[in-house]
Amino acid sequence: TKPKGTVSVWLNGKTVDSDAYELYIAAKGGVNGKYCAHLFEGFTNLTSINFHDAFHTDYAESMEGMFSRCRKLENLDVSCLETSRVRNMRRMFEDCPVKSLDLSHFDTANVEDMYQMFDSCSKLTSLDLRNFNTSKVTNMGDMFSMTSLLKDLDISSFDTSRVTDMSFMFSFSAVESLDLSHFDTSQLNTISYMFSNNSALHTVDVTGWDTSNVVHMTGTFSDCEALDTISGILSWDTSKVEYHDDFMDEGTRINGKPWEDLFK
C-alpha cells in the first residue's frame, strides 16, 4: 500500500518520523478472531478500525486489553463483535480515547472479569451498558476510573451478587449522581477508594448495602469535594473492616457525627 502521511515512532532509542500505512487483513470467509486478547493493544498511532462484518469472534473467550492504549482511536464501532463466550474483558478499552461506546448488544452473560474495562477513557462522554449481564462478574475494580468527561452512567442492569472487588470503581470520574441501592454487595471484600477524587459527585445512594464481609474501606469517599448526600451509609456493617484510613476527608461529619464513629 502507499504511505498515508507520517507518524512518530520509537526506534533505536530515539523518536523518528516514519511512513504511516493503512493495514488490511483479508481472508476467504473472513477472519477468525478466536484469539483476540491484546490484539490492538499499544497501537498508539491507530486512528480507525473497520471490521467490515468480517471479523468473527464467535469462539473468543478473552478480549483482555483488546483496544488498550490505542491512544489515537477516538471512534470505534464494535457492533460486529460476538461476545457470548467471552469470560475476560479486563482492560478491554483501557486508556483508549473513544468518545462514545454503544455496548448494548454485548452478551456478557459469561464474563467474570471487568477490571479496568474503561479505565482512563478520558474522552468518553457516552456509554451504553443498558443490557449488560454482570451476574458472573467478580472484579469491577477501576472499571470507570479516570473517565473524566463521563457525567451520566446507567448501570441499573448490573447484577453484583458475585463481585468481591469494587476498589477505585468510580475514582477520578465525572459522574454526578449514583443510585447503587440495587447493588447486591454480600460478597464484597474491598471498596477502597471506590468514589475517591470525584469532584463532581454530589449524591450517592447505597441504601440496603450488605457490607458484612468488607475488609477494606481505605479512602472510599476521600477527596469528594461536592458530595453532600450519602443515603444508607449509617446502616453499614463495619464489624470486619480492618483498613479504613482516610475513609473520608478529615473533619467530615455524617448526621452531625465524625465519620470515624462508623467504625466504633
Side-chain angles (χ1 to χ4, degrees):
T1 61
K2 295 180 180 179
K4 294 175 68 67
T6 59
V7 292
S8 295
V9 297
W10 187 255
L11 183 65
N12 297 327
K14 61 182 179 180
T15 301
V16 298
D17 288 335
S18 177
D19 289 333
Y21 294 87
E22 289 187 345
L23 173 64
Y24 294 88
I25 303 175
K28 186 177 181 179
V31 177
N32 183 347
K34 180 178 181 179
Y35 303 106
C36 55
H38 310 287
L39 184 61
F40 302 102
E41 183 171 4
F43 278 39
T44 54
N45 292 303
L46 186 64
T47 58
S48 64
I49 303 174
N50 193 330
F51 291 108
H52 292 287
D53 293 322
F55 187 70
H56 306 302
T57 57
D58 307 60
Y59 294 98
E61 294 185 0
S62 176
M63 291 185 173
E64 178 178 353
M66 189 172 178
F67 306 101
S68 175
R69 294 185 291 114
C70 292
R71 294 180 178 138
K72 292 184 180 179
L73 188 62
E74 294 190 357
N75 298 295
L76 180 62
D77 182 355
V78 290
S79 58
C80 72
L81 298 186
E82 167 60 51
T83 61
S84 60
R85 293 176 183 247
V86 176
R87 293 183 291 111
N88 185 356
M89 289 186 174
R90 188 180 182 94
R91 300 175 48 246
M92 187 173 179
F93 302 98
E94 176 212 18
D95 201 8
C96 184
V98 286
K99 296 178 180 178
S100 65
L101 280 171
D102 183 354
L103 308 182
S104 58
H105 66 286
F106 267 27
D107 182 346
T108 56
N110 286 307
V111 178
E112 300 168 2
D113 194 341
M114 290 184 176
Y115 174 71
Q116 287 189 322
M117 189 171 179
F118 308 101
D119 183 25
S120 299
C121 290
S122 58
K123 293 188 178 181
L124 190 64
T125 60
S126 175
L127 181 61
D128 192 338
L129 307 175
R130 282 175 297 174
N131 298 317
F132 255 39
N133 181 341
T134 59
S135 59
K136 290 186 178 180
V137 177
T138 62
N139 194 341
M140 290 184 177
D142 289 83
M143 190 172 179
F144 305 102
S145 178
M146 304 292 287
T147 51
S148 52
L149 295 180
L150 187 62
K151 295 182 178 181
D152 298 307
L153 183 62
D154 183 357
I155 50 178
S156 57
S157 68
F158 274 28
D159 178 344
T160 59
S161 56
R162 295 192 183 185
V163 179
T164 61
D165 188 347
M166 291 184 183
S167 58
F168 294 93
M169 189 173 178
F170 304 101
S171 65
F172 290 96
S173 73
V175 64
E176 298 178 351
S177 179
L178 285 168
D179 183 354
L180 309 180
S181 58
H182 65 287
F183 272 22
D184 179 343
T185 56
S186 56
Q187 300 302 313
L188 265 185
N189 173 268
T190 176
I191 55 172
S192 290
Y193 302 100
M194 184 174 178
F195 309 96
S196 66
N197 294 279
N198 187 329
S199 59
L201 187 64
H202 57 83
T203 59
V204 176
D205 190 344
V206 289
T207 302
W209 271 33
D210 178 357
T211 57
S212 58
N213 288 310
V214 178
V215 175
H216 302 270
M217 286 190 182
T218 302
T220 301
F221 293 100
S222 61
D223 294 305
C224 293
E225 300 171 1
L227 187 60
D228 54 31
T229 303
I230 308 175
S231 301
I233 192 171
L234 291 176
S235 299
W236 279 13
D237 179 349
T238 60
S239 58
K240 290 186 180 178
V241 175
E242 297 178 10
Y243 309 95
H244 61 265
D245 294 349
D246 302 315
F247 176 76
M248 287 183 174
D249 294 342
E250 185 177 355
T252 302
R253 303 178 75 83
I254 303 174
N255 277 16
K257 298 181 180 180
W259 64 259
E260 288 87 352
D261 286 2
L262 286 174
F263 302 97
K264 289 183 177 179

